[in-house]
Amino acid sequence: MMPSSYTGVRFVNRVEDTPELNVFTYRNFYNGGGVAVGDFNGDGLPELILTSNLQGSRLYLNKGHFQFQDITDEAGVGGKGYWATGVTVADVNGDGKLDIYVCYAGNIPGKRRANELYINQGLNKDGVPIFREITSTYSSSTTRSVPSTASDSATPATSATDSAGTSFFTMTATGTSLMSVKKRVSSAARSPSGWTW
């Protein structure tokens, strides 16, 4: 194992119970956190995105030779800092750049528990990938049941469609964890302003 002093990855998913929040007040208290790996800047080296129960997310830029730089704040992917239960990466909008989807849960009210979709905007002048969280700009009411790839049972799913109503990807989830993203992107680029959720 390499020490964090060499790798630059300093991350702990620390869960501390309180009288108000513990395994008795929230049965899934010890569930959470997540890891995803993807090349967000196109240099062939995979970056790390780590999510936690209570401390937010961290994105580490791969500098090569197992050394990483924390670019969370610059990239704009710190998250809500409360009960992320998983993370996945996929090129959601078909532009050739990986995007980030973070799932949330917890004994908290609605908007703080809503999932986040970060769209990769490309690199800044320093070669750091910049993301824009777009979930709040779209309605998330288009939820329907579709057959799961894991079984024949129906599973909740969210589909994004263009302004003509053509679905070009479906996010399928079980509980609060994303199972798969199925893209149906045409060769023509789709404008984010034409998306509906």
Side-chain angles (χ1 to χ4, degrees):
M1 179 191 268
M2 295 182 182
S4 61
S5 59
Y6 177 81
T7 65
V9 177
R10 292 172 179 87
F11 181 86
V12 176
N13 184 17
R14 183 169 285 114
V15 181
E16 297 177 7
D17 58 350
T18 66
E20 296 79 28
L21 186 59
N22 55 65
V23 73
F24 297 108
T25 61
Y26 178 53
R27 68 180 177 153
N28 295 324
F29 183 74
Y30 293 108
N31 296 354
V35 178
V37 177
D39 182 10
F40 296 113
N41 63 356
D43 66 358
L45 299 172
E47 277 68 56
L48 303 174
I49 176 93
L50 305 163
T51 64
S52 72
N53 290 50
L54 296 169
Q55 289 84 33
S57 301
R58 306 308 298 170
L59 177 60
Y60 292 93
L61 181 71
N62 192 334
K63 309 286 275 178
H65 305 288
F66 295 101
Q67 293 185 310
F68 295 83
Q69 174 188 349
D70 187 340
I71 59 167
T72 306
D73 294 336
E74 195 172 357
V77 296
K80 302 172 190 172
Y82 202 79
W83 238 272
T85 59
V87 60
T88 193
V89 299
D91 181 11
V92 172
N93 58 353
D95 65 357
K97 298 184 291 285
L98 287 178
D99 308 304
I100 300 170
Y101 189 77
V102 181
C103 296
Y104 287 90
N107 191 14
I108 52 175
K111 286 190 178 185
R112 286 192 67 196
R113 197 172 55 230
N115 297 340
E116 293 176 317
L117 176 59
Y118 293 95
I119 298 295
N120 191 332
Q121 304 296 300
L123 307 180
N124 69 9
K125 61 181 176 49
D126 299 318
V128 172
I130 304 300
F131 293 83
R132 184 169 62 103
E133 202 284 310
I134 67 163
T135 310
S136 62
T137 62
Y138 298 93
S139 166
S140 59
S141 61
T142 309
T143 301
R144 59 187 176 85
S145 291
V146 297
S148 167
T149 56
S151 70
D152 292 330
S153 62
T155 304
T158 300
S159 295
T161 60
D162 64 13
S163 56
T166 305
S167 175
F168 64 98
F169 75 85
T170 301
M171 291 184 194
T172 306
T174 299
T176 57
S177 298
L178 189 66
M179 280 178 43
S180 64
V181 175
K182 297 177 184 176
K183 293 187 299 177
R184 291 183 281 283
V185 180
S186 70
S187 58
R190 297 186 187 273
S191 165
S193 61
W195 294 0
T196 58
W197 291 81

